[in-house]
């Protein structure tokens, strides 16, 4: 009976003394330096630049049309000037709506892509933790979720290297 109690007590002590494997990553670095995010941001910047070019071109053309209308208005009757003014206001509203819709489209695409990247990073961290037998991988950020961690427990660069290696450019 004493042997059984001694074995049971030893087993409990072994379980209680098990060291947990814990690491942490800097969330901001992990996401911002992830190559897929850099590539996505670059593609979005190309779209934004093209959008700005189109918008500037449309606005310049509209401003030219206004100047031409101002010249024509000098020779027009008051009712014709009002009609021309209304037409220009409608064109301006249509232009503003087009610009706004495209801005919303780019913003939505950006949000969707960023959400996808964040989910990929979270999934990668989970898989990394499981395959490397971590009990916990904590995330640090500017808000201070990890206020201190030994450098040896910082997995950020190791995980970033693994994520970028696993990333295949489209």
């Amino acid at each position: 009976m004493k042997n059984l109690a001694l074995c049971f007590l030893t087993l409990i002590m072994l379980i209680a003394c098990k060291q947990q494997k814990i690491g942490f990553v800097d969330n901001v670095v992990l996401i911002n330096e992830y190559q897929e995010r850099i590539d996505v941001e670059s593609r979005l910047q190309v779209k934004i630049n093209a959008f700005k070019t189109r918008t500037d071109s449309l606005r310049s053309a509209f401003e030219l049309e206004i100047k031409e209308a101002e010249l024509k208005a000098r020779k027009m009757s008051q009712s014709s000037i009002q009609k021309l003014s209304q037409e220009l206001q409608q064109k301006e509203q249509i232009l503003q709506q087009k610009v706004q819709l495209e801005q919303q489209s780019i913003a939505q695409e950006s949000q969707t892509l960023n959400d996808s990247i964040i989910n990929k990073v979270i999934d990668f961290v989970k898989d990394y933790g499981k395959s490397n037998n971590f009990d916990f991988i904590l995330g640090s950020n500017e808000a201070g979720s990890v206020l201190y961690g030994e450098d040896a427990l910082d997995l950020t660069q190791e995980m970033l290297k693994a994520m970028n290696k696993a990333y295949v450019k489209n």
Side-chain angles (χ1 to χ4, degrees):
M1 191 61 135
K2 284 185 179 182
N3 286 341
L4 183 61
L6 186 59
C7 286
F8 184 69
L9 184 59
T10 304
L11 181 63
I12 290 176
M13 289 182 67
L14 285 174
I15 291 172
C17 291
K18 177 189 175 242
Q19 289 289 321
Q20 292 185 330
K21 191 171 179 182
I22 299 173
F24 68 93
V25 294
D26 184 329
N27 297 336
V28 175
V29 171
L30 201 60
I31 290 172
N32 287 343
E33 295 182 19
Y34 179 34
Q35 188 61 48
E36 183 174 2
R37 182 183 179 281
I38 293 168
D39 292 346
V40 163
E41 192 172 288
S42 178
R43 287 193 308 267
L44 283 172
Q45 192 59 50
V46 168
K47 283 186 176 187
I48 290 168
N49 291 342
F51 164 72
K52 286 180 181 178
T53 301
R54 281 191 308 278
T55 302
D56 290 345
S57 176
L58 289 172
R59 288 178 201 243
S60 294
F62 184 70
E63 288 173 10
L64 184 62
E65 191 173 344
I66 288 174
K67 287 179 183 179
E68 289 174 0
E70 287 173 350
L71 292 174
K72 286 181 186 178
R74 293 179 185 165
K75 301 174 186 174
M76 299 173 99
S77 67
Q78 189 63 32
S79 63
S80 297
I81 291 173
Q82 286 179 341
K83 184 178 178 184
L84 181 61
S85 177
Q86 287 175 346
E87 289 174 6
L88 289 173
Q89 285 175 350
Q90 287 176 344
K91 284 184 179 185
E92 183 179 29
Q93 286 177 344
I94 291 170
L95 175 64
Q96 288 175 347
Q97 288 173 348
K98 284 181 181 181
V99 168
Q100 190 175 27
L101 284 173
E102 193 166 351
Q103 282 175 329
Q104 289 172 347
S105 174
I106 290 172
Q108 180 63 41
E109 181 179 2
S110 175
Q111 185 64 48
T112 301
L113 291 170
N114 283 329
D115 289 347
S116 173
I117 288 169
I118 289 169
N119 288 333
K120 285 179 183 179
V121 169
I122 290 169
D123 290 344
F124 190 91
V125 170
K126 285 179 183 177
D127 292 342
Y128 185 92
K130 286 178 186 175
S131 65
N132 289 286
N133 299 316
F134 278 89
D135 294 304
F136 299 97
I137 296 180
L138 307 173
S140 69
N141 56 34
E142 292 93 20
S145 52
V146 174
L147 298 176
Y148 171 76
E150 288 185 36
D151 289 342
L153 300 176
D154 186 350
L155 305 171
T156 306
Q157 293 304 317
E158 178 181 331
M159 197 167 300
L160 182 62
K161 186 186 277 186
M163 283 174 42
N164 285 336
K165 185 177 179 183
Y167 167 62
V168 178
K169 292 183 182 182
N170 294 336

